[in-house]
């Protein structure tokens, strides 16, 4: 469902004017005084030791995320054979640069301690394979201008992270390159893809969505490329696939990280040759599509582990877009609540979210992101007779369902029953995924459930699942 602030009747007085929308191609118009100037972070990376290269060197990087590895696409490229293709990345945090290992073969150490992710203090040494890189934060020398707007089509938020996203999407939409959208489950990756398409030159053409994680592996090829009658059991007629249906338009491959490894070469061929073959057919058919894909996995980690083809990764990720999790933009809570209430046709229910409730909501880490927030807002509107204590989001430290919880007889039986079932499902799934290490197939086997049904439940509750694939 798409949400917009365009029809809100009680806009917050501190928000700037609405963007102008015209037809299918919606653009944001701003005046000069509604621009925020933001410094671009800078870091000096001193390579003090590098296997295979005796000379030390210093690399200066401007930006929020610096990737390190042996592949030429990295921001810092090392020649050390003990370094993985995509070894780790540095991300600028509020007080320090943070290093995150990308599933490397030999691991990442900070000041001699092995880490998966950790803050690197000024002058800290990061050991990558047999190489050592010392991190020095530097004064920014470049600035970026961010428009002070509350919405970008169906996306809402005034935080800097969201306004940076708006600026990037505006540039991406003007091109025709393939885009890979990263983000946790529930952050709104499909909305981002939709906004790119609606501002592109293919806006009036077909937009076909394929959820690679919700299709049985033996049917994915047919979904993508179609099949001819008799190609397999049950194929009683010819069927076109997503690529043919989207000819001259756009295909959105959601959860591309779930695509079976054996099908990845066929997708790669379709992208490189711009042609497809239906299952059971030898004739190639030319197609002209733009491919936008999305994933909640770290595909660089999947490439390191051999679970995703490197050449396909680069074909899909000509340009990457990172969608921030809700916990990194909690200042957007109020504006998102207004969007959801407006979509429900109940803007007056904002009274249910006074400042004390918003303060409590800001203490929650929202693992299900915007999807979890939407569910919480809808539940609060339905159960508005609940006490303030019951309106607080569930504690991140305890997903367990309390067996002795008090029953509110003022709530209709069906609503109360549905709420108990929903709470149980979420608590059970959280514990199940935790015990299975995020492996969806293992979790499904342990619970005696169909994997596709488990996947739908995980998506429904905004949980992080499927991180380890099949």
């Amino acid at each position: 469902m798409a949400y917009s602030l365009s029809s809100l009747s009680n806009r917050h007085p501190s928000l700037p004017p609405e963007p102008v929308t015209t037809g299918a191609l919606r653009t944001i118009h701003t005046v000069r005084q509604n621009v925020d100037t933001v410094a671009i972070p800078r870091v000096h990376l001193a390579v003090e030791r590098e296997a295979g290269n005796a000379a030390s060197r210093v690399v200066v990087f401007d930006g929020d995320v610096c990737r390190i590895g042996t592949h030429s696409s990295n921001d810092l490229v090392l020649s050390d054979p003990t370094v993985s293709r995509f070894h780790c990345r540095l991300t600028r945090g509020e007080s320090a640069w943070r290093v995150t290992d990308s599933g490397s073969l030999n691991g990442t150490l900070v000041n001699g301690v092995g880490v998966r992710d950790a803050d690197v203090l000024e002058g800290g040494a990061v050991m990558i394979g047999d190489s050592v890189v010392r991190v020095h934060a530097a004064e920014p020398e470049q600035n970026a201008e961010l428009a002070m707007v509350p919405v970008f089509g169906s996306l809402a938020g005034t935080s800097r992270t969201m306004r940076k996203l708006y600026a990037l999407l505006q540039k991406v939409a003007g091109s025709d390159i393939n885009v890979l959208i990263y983000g946790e489950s529930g952050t709104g990756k499909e909305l981002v893809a939709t906004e790119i398409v609606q501002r592109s030159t293919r806006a009036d053409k077909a937009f076909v969505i394929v959820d690679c994680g919700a299709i049985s592996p033996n049917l994915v090829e047919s979904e993508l490329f179609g099949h001819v009658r008799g190609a397999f059991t049950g194929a009683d007629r010819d069927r076109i696939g997503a690529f043919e249906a989207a000819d001259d338009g756009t295909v959105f491959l959601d959860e591309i990280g779930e695509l079976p490894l054996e099908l990845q070469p066929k997708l790669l061929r379709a992208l490189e040759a711009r042609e497809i073959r239906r299952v059971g057919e030898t004739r190639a058919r030319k197609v002209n599509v733009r491919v936008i894909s999305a994933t909640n996995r770290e595909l660089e980690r999947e490439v390191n582990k051999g679970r995703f083809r490197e050449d396909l990764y680069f074909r899909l990720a000509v340009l990457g877009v990172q969608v921030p999790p809700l916990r990194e933009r909690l200042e957007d809570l109020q504006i998102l609540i207004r969007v959801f209430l407006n979509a429900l046709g109940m803007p007056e229910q904002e009274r249910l979210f006074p400042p004390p409730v918003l303060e409590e909501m800001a203490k929650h880490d929202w693992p299900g992101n915007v999807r979890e927030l939407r569910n919480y807002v809808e539940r609060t509107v339905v159960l508005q007779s609940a006490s303030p204590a019951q309106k607080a989001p569930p504690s991140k430290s305890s997903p367990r369902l309390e067996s002795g919880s008090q029953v509110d007889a003022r709530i209709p039986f069906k609503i109360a029953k549905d709420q108990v079932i929903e709470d149980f499902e979420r608590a059970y799934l959280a514990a199940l995924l935790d015990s299975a290490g995020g492996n969806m197939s293992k979790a499904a086997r342990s619970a005696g459930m169909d994997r596709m049904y488990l996947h739908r439940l995980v998506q429904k509750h905004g949980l992080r699942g499927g991180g380890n694939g099949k």
Side-chain angles (χ1 to χ4, degrees):
M1 183 183 293
Y3 300 96
S4 173
L5 286 177
S6 57
S7 59
L8 281 178
S9 59
N10 56 338
R11 289 180 48 78
H12 193 280
S14 64
L15 291 179
E18 294 270 5
V20 177
T21 62
T22 306
L25 299 178
R26 295 176 287 178
T27 56
I28 295 178
H29 301 281
T30 62
V31 292
R32 188 68 187 173
Q33 58 266 32
N34 284 336
V35 171
D36 182 19
T37 302
V38 180
I40 298 176
R42 165 168 284 202
V43 63
H44 290 178
L45 302 174
V47 183
E48 296 184 347
R49 188 176 79 218
E50 182 179 2
N53 189 350
S56 61
R57 57 194 171 109
V58 175
V59 175
V60 179
F61 175 78
D62 294 305
D64 293 302
V65 181
C66 176
R67 301 185 304 160
I68 303 174
T70 58
H71 197 277
S72 59
S73 66
N74 288 287
D75 302 298
L76 172 59
V77 180
L78 300 174
S79 59
D80 185 346
T82 64
V83 173
S84 297
R85 287 171 291 183
F86 308 104
H87 198 102
C88 64
R89 65 180 182 274
L90 286 169
T91 307
R92 180 61 191 173
E94 293 184 3
S95 58
W97 286 86
R98 188 169 189 84
V99 63
T100 303
D101 187 82
S102 298
S104 63
L105 180 63
N106 293 314
T108 302
L109 288 79
V110 175
N111 297 328
V113 179
V115 300
R116 280 192 291 183
D117 61 274
D119 285 340
V120 183
L121 301 181
E122 171 59 27
V126 180
M127 179 174 283
I128 305 167
D130 289 334
S131 301
V132 175
V133 178
R134 200 166 291 276
V135 179
H136 298 279
E139 287 297 319
E141 294 189 6
Q142 299 181 39
N143 295 322
E145 292 185 344
L146 301 178
M148 297 291 290
V149 292
V151 295
F152 186 83
S154 301
L155 304 171
T158 57
S159 60
R160 282 189 175 182
T161 54
M162 287 303 291
R163 288 186 286 124
K164 285 181 181 179
L165 179 62
Y166 301 160
L168 176 59
L169 295 181
Q170 192 69 50
K171 295 176 182 178
V172 171
S175 70
D176 204 36
I177 62 175
N178 293 339
V179 179
L180 178 59
I181 305 171
Y182 299 89
E184 297 175 6
S185 179
T187 51
K189 298 185 290 295
E190 186 175 325
L191 286 182
V192 170
T194 302
E195 293 306 322
I196 292 174
V197 171
Q198 290 183 347
R199 290 166 170 78
S200 73
T201 57
R202 299 175 186 254
D204 59 342
K205 305 296 183 181
F207 178 39
V208 180
I209 300 173
V210 179
D211 187 346
C212 299
I215 305 171
S216 176
N218 60 337
L219 294 177
V220 174
E221 185 176 2
S222 174
E223 287 290 330
L224 293 177
F225 309 129
H227 64 254
V228 296
R229 182 180 178 182
F232 51 84
T233 303
D236 55 355
R237 58 186 176 85
D238 289 357
R239 182 182 185 277
I240 66 171
F243 275 70
E244 277 190 85
D247 196 20
D248 289 331
T250 306
V251 171
F252 176 51
L253 302 177
D254 198 9
E255 301 303 343
I256 187 65
E258 298 283 344
L259 188 68
L261 189 61
E262 61 271 17
L263 287 180
Q264 293 177 21
K266 296 182 179 181
L267 176 57
L268 177 63
R269 175 176 175 79
L271 297 177
E272 289 182 335
R274 289 182 174 269
E275 64 181 27
I276 58 96
R277 286 186 177 88
R278 294 182 183 179
V279 178
E281 188 177 57
T282 57
R283 179 170 68 93
R285 300 169 182 265
K286 288 291 183 181
V287 290
N288 173 23
V289 298
R290 182 187 190 180
V291 176
I292 300 176
S293 48
T295 180
N296 61 9
R297 298 192 191 188
E298 294 181 25
L299 285 192
E300 292 173 354
R301 182 185 297 270
E302 299 297 299
V303 170
N304 284 339
K305 299 296 184 183
R307 294 192 291 251
F308 202 87
R309 289 181 60 110
E310 179 182 325
D311 45 7
L312 176 59
Y313 167 71
F314 285 109
R315 275 289 176 180
L316 294 171
V318 178
L319 192 147
V321 174
Q322 180 76 47
V323 186
L326 183 55
R327 63 181 176 275
E328 292 182 4
R329 56 183 191 108
L330 292 173
E331 60 266 48
D332 291 334
L333 281 174
Q334 187 174 40
I335 195 171
L336 288 170
I337 289 170
R338 288 179 178 174
V339 169
F340 298 143
L341 290 175
N342 182 67
L344 292 170
M346 300 178 179
E348 71 283 355
Q349 297 299 325
E350 191 174 345
R351 61 180 177 77
L352 297 171
F353 303 91
V357 172
L358 291 174
E359 290 177 11
E360 285 300 312
M361 293 173 68
K363 296 177 182 177
H364 183 54
D365 69 349
W366 299 101
N369 294 296
V370 179
R371 183 188 292 122
E372 181 184 357
L373 175 64
R374 181 192 63 199
N375 293 342
Y376 170 66
V377 170
E378 292 177 354
R379 186 165 63 246
T380 301
V381 170
V382 172
L383 306 178
Q384 56 184 294
S385 61
S387 66
Q390 290 173 308
K391 289 177 184 174
S395 170
K396 62 182 179 183
S397 61
S398 177
R400 186 168 51 88
L401 186 65
E402 296 293 339
S403 59
S405 56
Q406 205 169 17
V407 174
D408 188 348
R410 295 172 295 176
I411 301 173
F413 172 77
K414 185 179 185 306
I415 294 177
K417 178 183 175 183
D418 289 345
Q419 184 61 56
V420 170
I421 293 174
E422 183 175 327
D423 290 344
F424 167 76
E425 284 182 352
R426 181 178 178 82
Y428 180 86
L429 293 172
L432 179 66
L433 291 172
D434 183 63
S435 65
N439 187 305
M440 294 287 278
S441 294
K442 181 179 178 181
R445 287 194 298 270
S446 176
M449 300 171 64
D450 177 75
R451 184 176 178 274
M452 292 300 106
Y453 178 62
L454 175 60
H455 181 85
R456 288 193 292 271
L457 284 178
V458 166
Q459 286 194 325
K460 168 188 171 184
H461 293 284
L463 297 172
R464 300 175 197 169
N468 293 330
K470 295 167 63 176

